[in-house]
Amino acid sequence: MRININKIVAFAIGISVMSGSIMPAFAADTTNAQVQAVGKQVLTLDDAIKAAISNSDTLVLDEKKITYQNKINDTNEDLDDYNEDNEAITDDKKDLNEDTRDNTLKQLEQTRDFDQDILIQKTTTAYNGIVTSQKQIDQASKELEVKNKELNDANLKNSLGIITTTDLTTTNLDIEKLQNDQKSSQNTLNDLEYNFKVLIGKDVSQYGLEQDIKYDAFKMDGSIDEYLDNSIDSYLKYTEQLVKLNKDYYNDDDNEVSVDDVNKAKDAIIKDEPAKPSDIDTNLISYEKYAKDTSDYNKSIANYTGALSARLTYLNTKLGVYTNETTLNETKKSFKEQLRSFYTKLLTTEDSINLLKKNIELNNKQLSNAKLRSDLGIITKSDYNTLVVSSEDLELQLRSAIDSYNTLKEQIQKPWIAFS
């Protein structure tokens, strides 16, 4: 009995000595926004977004498209003015061309703005992903430290005969798994940092990053259906306008190429090709008449084939208008279905965030109690440090939930981010 008591006392002393320098209290572990920026310049999210915009070839191309479209529009306007003066096009056709050109330019400008929104969201997601990855690696390091302490304790317990070799092996395997996970997380972070450098043109590993992530609940006026319809209408505004322009033009009877137009051209065909004057009849008047008759004959044929071609173009174009209108309506329905699913996920994520906040609040109170119990020697510091690591895992879950929430919110507010 004396031997067993001595072993237990020795074990308790060992635990107390080895537990003295493991980890600081939770409150001391709480980081401010620039804790990882010690000795480094802080690269804010706003700065990263500005750098990404300056580094974007897509936005440069968008600006070139706008510039060249302006030049193309001006040239086509001059061409339409000339054709109108020569009665080659109608006033309605000229108006359609002008409205179409204006719509094309505005759509290019909209695309540029959309591309910038998409880039901002891509940069935000990448930035937050790097910060989260850094935090995961930091948290994994602390968990590994706790596990190594557990291994030391397990070795002591094994030497005292309190636990078996199998229990010791289990702890070793847990540590090996954590080491593998940490290595994988570091490789993931390296990839994220490389991709971010390509995106913004800066080596993010040389900077400290803001650790905070903003959370503002989604708000809207009116019903969700009305809100989503308005979002989709904003996205498809110029596509819808183009459909309407063509529909109005080709539904106007004045712009129709009808069957009657074709029949009139067909009826006007000169039935017989003019006969060439004989060698005997070689006077100038005969040849001039032959030349005129031949010209009239060829024109009547050309007018008929031209009317057929115009009729085919008209029918194909009008069918295209119907097709585009149907496609637009179906696209709206599809987008709305997807956005409604985003909204459902948003509500679910919001509930998760609220629950995580409550769990964190409760966990912090439990952690404070645990710190007191640890200071009084009721529980070991190792047990307390395990609770600290668990609490940091809750913080990571909250951060990930907020990041997902913010992305869903942006996709609902700006569907072009989701459907680009």
Side-chain angles (χ1 to χ4, degrees):
M1 183 70 179
R2 171 72 62 180
I3 295 175
N4 289 338
I5 291 176
N6 287 340
K7 285 184 177 181
I8 293 172
V9 170
F11 168 69
I13 292 173
I15 291 291
S16 176
V17 170
M18 289 186 290
S19 298
S21 60
I22 297 299
M23 293 176 65
F26 175 75
D29 277 338
T30 302
T31 61
N32 61 33
Q34 278 81 35
V35 69
Q36 293 190 12
V38 175
K40 294 181 180 180
Q41 180 182 351
V42 176
L43 178 69
T44 67
L45 176 57
D46 286 343
D47 289 339
I49 289 171
K50 291 175 183 176
I53 291 173
S54 298
N55 193 52
S56 173
D57 290 334
T58 298
L59 293 181
V60 171
L61 178 59
D62 285 342
E63 291 293 347
K64 286 187 179 295
K65 286 180 179 179
I66 292 169
T67 299
Y68 276 86
Q69 190 62 48
N70 267 311
K71 296 177 181 179
I72 292 169
N73 286 357
D74 289 342
T75 303
N76 277 321
E77 184 177 357
D78 292 339
L79 180 60
D80 278 356
D81 288 341
Y82 175 81
N83 287 332
E84 183 184 34
D85 292 340
N86 290 275
E87 299 182 352
I89 62 171
T90 64
D91 289 340
D92 284 349
K93 180 61 175 173
K94 182 184 178 185
D95 289 341
L96 174 65
N97 291 345
E98 183 177 351
D99 291 339
T100 301
R101 289 193 296 267
D102 183 61
N103 186 84
T104 301
L105 180 61
K106 288 179 178 177
Q107 191 165 36
L108 286 174
E109 292 170 343
Q110 184 192 57
T111 298
R112 174 199 58 198
D113 295 340
F114 285 175
D115 284 343
Q116 181 164 306
D117 287 339
I118 293 166
L119 180 61
I120 289 171
Q121 182 58 43
K122 184 177 181 179
T123 305
T124 301
T125 299
Y127 186 101
N128 288 330
I130 291 173
V131 174
T132 298
S133 185
Q134 290 173 341
K135 286 179 173 292
Q136 287 172 336
I137 291 173
D138 182 58
Q139 195 254 3
S141 295
K142 293 174 182 177
E143 188 174 1
L144 193 58
E145 188 176 354
V146 169
K147 280 294 181 182
N148 280 323
K149 175 62 177 64
E150 288 181 4
L151 179 62
N152 290 335
D153 293 346
N155 281 322
L156 178 58
K157 289 178 182 179
N158 181 253
S159 68
L160 295 175
I162 299 174
I163 64 171
T164 65
T165 303
T166 302
D167 296 325
L168 190 62
T169 302
T170 299
T171 304
N172 271 310
L173 290 176
D174 288 342
I175 290 175
E176 185 175 350
K177 180 181 183 303
L178 284 173
Q179 289 172 334
N180 290 341
D181 290 345
Q182 190 177 35
K183 181 180 178 181
S184 176
S185 295
Q186 185 61 56
N187 290 335
T188 299
L189 176 60
N190 292 340
D191 290 341
L192 290 173
E193 290 179 340
Y194 174 83
N195 294 337
F196 200 63
K197 181 178 180 180
V198 174
L199 181 64
I200 72 170
K202 292 179 182 289
D203 184 357
V204 70
S205 65
Q206 302 302 310
Y207 295 86
L209 302 181
E210 294 176 316
Q211 305 298 295
D212 298 331
I213 186 169
K214 295 179 181 179
Y215 170 68
D216 295 312
F218 174 71
K219 297 177 182 178
M220 64 179 176
D221 296 325
S223 68
I224 182 60
D225 284 324
E226 182 182 3
Y227 185 91
L228 295 182
D229 286 340
N230 290 335
S231 291
I232 293 169
D233 286 344
S234 295
Y235 179 30
L236 300 174
K237 177 179 178 180
Y238 294 109
T239 300
E240 188 166 14
Q241 282 187 10
L242 184 59
V243 169
K244 186 177 185 304
L245 283 172
N246 284 286
K247 183 179 179 181
D248 290 345
Y249 178 83
Y250 286 101
N251 281 349
D252 190 332
D253 292 341
D254 291 340
N255 302 317
E256 180 184 7
V257 181
S258 65
V259 174
D260 287 343
D261 294 328
V262 175
N263 289 335
K264 287 177 183 178
K266 183 178 181 181
D267 292 340
I269 294 176
I270 299 172
K271 300 303 180 184
D272 298 319
E273 184 176 358
K276 185 176 181 180
S278 64
D279 292 338
I280 298 173
D281 189 9
T282 56
N283 62 76
L284 181 59
I285 294 176
S286 297
Y287 272 103
E288 286 178 345
K289 182 178 183 305
Y290 169 74
K292 181 180 182 305
D293 290 345
T294 301
S295 176
D296 291 341
Y297 174 79
N298 290 335
K299 283 181 181 178
S300 67
I301 296 295
N303 286 339
Y304 175 59
T305 57
L308 286 172
S309 178
R311 174 69 175 164
L312 286 172
T313 299
Y314 171 80
L315 292 174
N316 283 322
T317 304
K318 194 160 186 178
L319 177 60
V321 170
Y322 289 138
T323 301
N324 291 338
E325 184 177 31
T326 300
T327 300
L328 176 64
N329 292 334
E330 290 301 312
T331 298
K332 284 187 174 184
K333 292 176 186 177
S334 176
F335 282 176
K336 187 161 183 187
E337 288 176 3
Q338 294 179 67
L339 289 180
R340 282 193 68 89
S341 71
F342 291 165
Y343 183 66
T344 299
K345 290 178 183 177
L346 185 82
L347 296 179
T348 301
T349 307
E350 186 173 346
D351 289 340
S352 298
I353 289 171
N354 292 333
L355 182 59
L356 278 167
K357 285 183 174 182
K358 291 177 182 178
N359 282 331
I360 288 172
E361 184 178 355
L362 175 61
N363 183 266
N364 285 342
K365 292 178 181 178
Q366 293 172 336
L367 205 57
S368 296
N369 294 334
K371 178 66 168 62
L372 178 60
R373 294 170 68 197
S374 173
D375 291 343
L376 294 174
I378 299 174
I379 63 172
T380 67
K381 289 188 179 295
S382 181
D383 290 336
Y384 170 70
N385 290 332
T386 299
L387 293 174
V388 171
V389 171
S390 297
S391 70
E392 291 183 354
D393 185 60
L394 282 176
E395 294 285 352
L396 278 173
Q397 290 181 42
L398 177 61
R399 180 183 179 84
S400 295
I402 290 174
D403 194 22
S404 296
Y405 182 90
N406 289 342
T407 298
L408 287 167
K409 185 172 69 172
E410 285 295 300
Q411 289 173 333
I412 291 170
Q413 292 173 328
K414 302 173 182 177
W416 45 93
I417 291 176
F419 304 136
S420 59

